[in-house]
Amino acid sequence: REKSTELPFTGKYLYNKKTGFYHCAACGNKLFSSETKFDSGTGWPSFYNSIKNAVDLKEDNSIFMKRIEVQCKKCKSHLGHVFNDGPKETTGKRFCINSIALNFKQNQ
């Protein structure tokens, strides 16, 4: 929630292949579908799209570079960042998200 990041390749959802939805760990807001998750090779769970109206995007110039921060729309928790190097056949976006900011609910 305080705009930090977990170390790459350490998050509990990096290799999760189950079908379901990823929710904000702080407030429970539904954020991402497993259908949009892909292996970006970056070390963090990556999605090419979020659930409609689930996240806010904010300019982030915190570490001497321009990035776009992804926040939970409901509680404003920091989730990660979005980049323009995602799958070209989808949105072209890569939502690079911290596992610790998420809870996963598997479809039954």
Side-chain angles (χ1 to χ4, degrees):
R1 294 192 71 175
E2 297 176 5
K3 301 187 181 192
S4 189
T5 189
E6 64 199 11
L7 294 173
F9 301 101
T10 63
K12 63 183 174 179
Y13 296 125
L14 178 60
Y15 300 111
N16 184 25
K17 302 281 188 203
K18 297 175 183 171
T19 303
F21 291 93
Y22 295 84
H23 297 253
C24 177
C27 73
N29 188 25
K30 188 185 291 186
L31 303 169
F32 301 97
S33 168
S34 62
E35 293 179 10
T36 65
K37 189 172 186 280
F38 69 99
D39 183 3
S40 66
T42 61
W44 290 275
S46 297
F47 305 86
Y48 62 78
N49 210 355
S50 64
I51 301 291
K52 187 175 181 177
N53 297 317
V55 301
D56 281 331
L57 305 178
K58 303 287 183 184
E59 189 171 312
D60 176 5
N61 299 306
S62 62
I63 58 169
F64 306 109
M65 60 190 301
K66 185 176 180 179
R67 300 181 296 171
I68 303 297
E69 178 186 9
V70 182
Q71 294 179 347
C72 173
K73 190 171 197 79
K74 186 174 176 184
C75 73
K76 305 302 182 206
S77 286
H78 172 79
L79 303 172
H81 291 87
V82 64
F83 302 95
N84 290 319
D85 60 359
K88 300 296 181 214
E89 64 277 5
T90 60
T91 63
K93 302 288 184 195
R94 173 174 55 94
F95 288 81
C96 187
I97 306 298
N98 293 297
S99 285
I100 198 162
L102 301 172
N103 282 326
F104 179 75
K105 293 184 183 174
Q106 186 173 358
N107 289 346
Q108 300 300 325

